[in-house]
Amino acid sequence: MKHFLSINDIDSLPNWVDEAINLKKDPYQFQHLGKQKTVCLLFFNNSLRTRLSTQKAALNLGMEVMIMNFGNEGWALEYGDGTVMDQGTSEHIKEAAQVVSQYCDIVAIRAFAGLVDKAKDEAEEVIHGFAKYASIPVVNMESSVGHPLQALADAITLAENKVKTKPKVVLSWAPHPKALPHAVANSFVQMMKLQDADFVITHPEGYELNPEIIKGCQVEHNQQKALEHADFVYVKNWSSYTDYGKVMNKDLGWTMTQEKLGNAKFMHCLPVRRNVVVEDAVLDGNQSLVAEQAKNRIFSAQLVLKKLLEQ
Ligand code: CP
């Protein structure tokens, strides 16, 4: 694995989950690996969990950590080849990636979708630009189209909590006042396709995810029907993919309630808007796995950093 950019970089999900659970039992067992190694975390967007859990993961491995809020503190980057840079951008990704490579051993990047230009978002120019021009491994801390560290943490959480060999897992769309990216949902779907599970996606019509990503998945527009006999319910908002980046539905009838959840475990990547995405009773109840998911972000990041340090 040269970089960790998507779920496709996981060669065996069951092996990775087992290895992460082993790391969790003794987080400091590989402190020697990170000695005199530095990871640089570049944030083009806000974060709580990703920033702190990736930092903690690196510290557990004995690494030094540098963090930069690139979005508002770095130079505006140019990505085009051959661009005459006489407008707003100050530095080309070619130099920026090469320079960052002089200061650290691994670079991890968060750069969300703009949700205006689908082609531009799908080109993932920030993370792919760094992967192309950096001379060190690049880690995706949520790009335009994927959040693989979150999905790996979710896989660990599912493994730790399932009581059936083949649980029923439902990805249920939820309302939200703002247009949100598809990255979390995309990576969760890609991860679920690697699981032995009865997996169902439910959302209002018009909220279909990228057809390439959901290929082979069961989609049920009737939320109540989709939730029948669910063992895990993963709730997430995303904006329209077909009418790209638009909020077309704010129907609170899709909000997750304790009644709809039944006996299932509740999952969400956080941050979450209470009483819009999910009602208080669910988050405050004992079926919620959100804190466990957040904790497992440490071990998904630690496993990825460990694998990159070992290569
Ligand atoms: N789940 C997640 O990525 O959280 P942050 O946006 O706070 O990093």
Side-chain angles (χ1 to χ4, degrees), residues 124 183 286:
E124 299 208 277
N286 59 13

Side-chain angles (χ1 to χ4, degrees), residues 6-20:
S6 83
I7 289 293
N8 297 331
D9 291 315
I10 298 176
D11 54 13
S12 164
L13 184 62
N15 289 353
W16 280 46
V17 167
D18 285 350
E19 215 179 313

Side-chain angles (χ1 to χ4, degrees), residues 249-261:
N249 188 332
K250 293 182 184 176
D251 180 3
L252 295 178
W254 281 83
T255 301
M256 189 50 54
T257 63
Q258 185 61 49
E259 190 184 350
K260 286 189 206 172
L261 187 66

Side-chain angles (χ1 to χ4, degrees), residues 239-305:
S239 55
S240 174
Y241 179 75
T242 39
D243 202 351
Y244 192 66
K246 298 283 184 301
V247 176
M248 303 187 311
N249 188 332
K250 293 182 184 176
D251 180 3
L252 295 178
W254 281 83
T255 301
M256 189 50 54
T257 63
Q258 185 61 49
E259 190 184 350
K260 286 189 206 172
L261 187 66
N263 295 319
K265 298 282 189 189
F266 173 80
M267 298 179 76
H268 190 283
C269 62
L270 303 182
V272 69
R273 294 211 180 205
R274 281 175 173 254
N275 304 309
V276 177
V277 171
V278 54
E279 69 175 10
D280 284 336
V282 174
L283 284 167
D284 297 335
N286 59 13
Q287 289 160 245
S288 174
L289 298 178
V290 298
E292 288 187 42
Q293 286 173 265
K295 181 167 185 175
N296 283 332
R297 289 294 306 275
I298 300 170
F299 304 102
S300 67
Q302 194 169 333
L303 180 66
V304 168
L305 293 176

Side-chain angles (χ1 to χ4, degrees), residues 36-269:
Q36 294 177 356
K37 302 281 184 188
T38 302
V39 63
C40 182
L41 313 183
L42 301 182
F43 285 90
F44 290 76
N45 306 95
N46 296 348
S47 171
L48 190 162
R49 281 143 290 273
T50 303
R51 179 167 173 154
L52 296 184
S53 64
T54 310
Q55 190 170 359
K56 176 67 176 146
L59 295 172
N60 285 354
L61 289 167
M63 300 184 83
E64 300 289 336
V65 185
M66 297 195 299
I67 301 180
M68 182 174 177
N69 293 321
F70 209 108
N72 48 20
E73 292 170 4
W75 299 110
L77 290 183
E78 176 60 48
Y79 301 94
D81 229 1
T83 310
V84 178
M85 288 171 57
D86 59 358
Q87 297 296 314
T89 55
S90 304
E91 176 154 39
H92 203 282
I93 183 82
K94 291 184 186 183
E95 283 77 50
Q98 287 172 45
V99 167
V100 169
S101 303
Q102 311 308 309
Y103 303 147
C104 56
D105 302 279
I106 297 173
V107 59
I109 297 162
R110 163 164 283 199
F112 289 172
L115 293 177
V116 175
D117 181 338
K118 187 192 280 190
K120 190 168 182 279
D121 285 346
E122 294 195 334
E124 299 208 277
E125 57 188 4
V126 182
I127 196 121
H128 285 165
F130 271 93
K132 185 171 178 185
Y133 297 115
S135 54
I136 56 175
V138 176
V139 174
N140 182 349
M141 294 195 298
E142 188 171 343
S143 64
S144 302
V145 302
H147 196 356
L149 287 176
Q150 180 66 54
L152 180 55
D154 297 336
I156 298 164
T157 310
L158 284 169
E160 290 176 326
N161 285 280
K162 71 178 183 182
V163 289
K164 289 181 193 162
T165 320
K166 190 174 177 177
K168 179 170 178 181
V169 181
V170 180
L171 171 61
S172 187
W173 180 90
H176 198 283
K178 289 173 67 181
L180 297 190
H182 310 92
V184 169
N186 286 345
S187 290
F188 186 74
V189 171
Q190 289 173 316
M191 180 276 289
M192 284 309 304
K193 286 164 87 169
L194 303 176
Q195 295 269 8
D196 188 17
D198 175 11
F199 179 53
V200 183
I201 306 169
T202 185
H203 55 70
E205 293 198 27
Y207 275 89
E208 286 71 20
L209 290 162
N210 182 340
E212 283 301 311
I213 290 176
I214 60 162
K215 205 173 188 171
C217 294
Q218 187 186 342
V219 177
E220 170 57 65
H221 291 124
N222 182 330
Q223 189 194 36
Q224 189 183 350
K225 201 168 162 198
L227 292 172
E228 280 171 10
H229 310 298
D231 297 299
F232 296 91
V233 178
Y234 198 106
V235 175
K236 185 72 186 85
N237 168 268
W238 59 88
S239 55
S240 174
Y241 179 75
T242 39
D243 202 351
Y244 192 66
K246 298 283 184 301
V247 176
M248 303 187 311
N249 188 332
K250 293 182 184 176
D251 180 3
L252 295 178
W254 281 83
T255 301
M256 189 50 54
T257 63
Q258 185 61 49
E259 190 184 350
K260 286 189 206 172
L261 187 66
N263 295 319
K265 298 282 189 189
F266 173 80
M267 298 179 76
H268 190 283
C269 62

